[in-house]
Amino acid sequence: MSDCLFCKIAAGEIPSNKIYEDELCYAFYDIDPQAPVHFLVIPKAHIQSVSAIDEGNCAVVGHIFQVIAKLTKELGLESYRVVSNIGEQAGQSVLHLHFHVLSGRDMTWPPG
Ligand code: AMP
Ligand code: ZN
């Protein structure tokens, strides 16, 4: 999608602090970290949010979780939280599917 920030980051058109990339997904550190470790994993294909996942595009979600398991192991993270915000009330500010991975501090439940 031409006017999407995360499409541009995944394409390398906007700089990011990249951790990992393959043909399907891209991982990079959040510009405004909410924990000592805070990175995002996104599909390279534009999907607006979890609510736009369907039979035709869901394979990338399993792949992303496999990548999250691999990256967190490599970073030595034993405990972490994976979050995806959907829609305005939940706090989604970028309309391209992304999974936050947060680690390195105590976390409360329920989340605010
Ligand atoms: P959300 O609010 O759930 O849609 O998450 C969007 C996240 O993207 C926020 O945590 C932002 O800090 C982060 N973000 C926005 N712009 C950038 C950027 N250029 N590079 C890295 N992270 C970004
Ligand atoms: Zn996009």
Side-chain angles (χ1 to χ4, degrees):
M1 197 181 172
S2 60
D3 201 25
C4 169
L5 172 65
F6 283 1
C7 281
K8 288 180 178 163
I9 286 178
E13 292 165 13
I14 290 179
S16 67
N17 193 355
K18 180 172 93 173
I19 307 171
Y20 174 86
E21 174 179 18
D22 62 29
E23 67 284 6
L24 293 177
C25 73
Y26 191 96
F28 56 109
Y29 285 104
D30 198 291
I31 205 168
D32 182 21
Q34 301 302 311
V37 179
H38 183 182
F39 63 88
L40 305 172
V41 188
I42 65 174
K44 285 192 168 174
H46 183 83
I47 299 171
Q48 177 154 321
S49 74
V50 167
S51 64
I53 293 170
D54 58 26
E55 244 178 61
N57 62 17
C58 67
V60 72
V61 178
H63 178 72
I64 283 174
F65 273 83
Q66 200 181 0
V67 166
I68 289 172
K70 169 184 141 68
L71 293 179
T72 49
K73 279 188 192 77
E74 284 174 5
L75 293 168
L77 308 176
E78 287 178 5
S79 184
Y80 53 90
R81 186 171 287 179
V82 180
V83 176
S84 193
N85 298 318
I86 297 101
E88 203 179 330
Q89 193 174 30
Q92 185 178 10
S93 61
V94 179
L95 300 183
H96 179 127
L97 177 66
H98 50 283
F99 295 92
H100 297 259
V101 180
L102 301 130
S103 186
R105 64 166 169 81
D106 292 340
M107 296 194 193
T108 57
W109 191 263

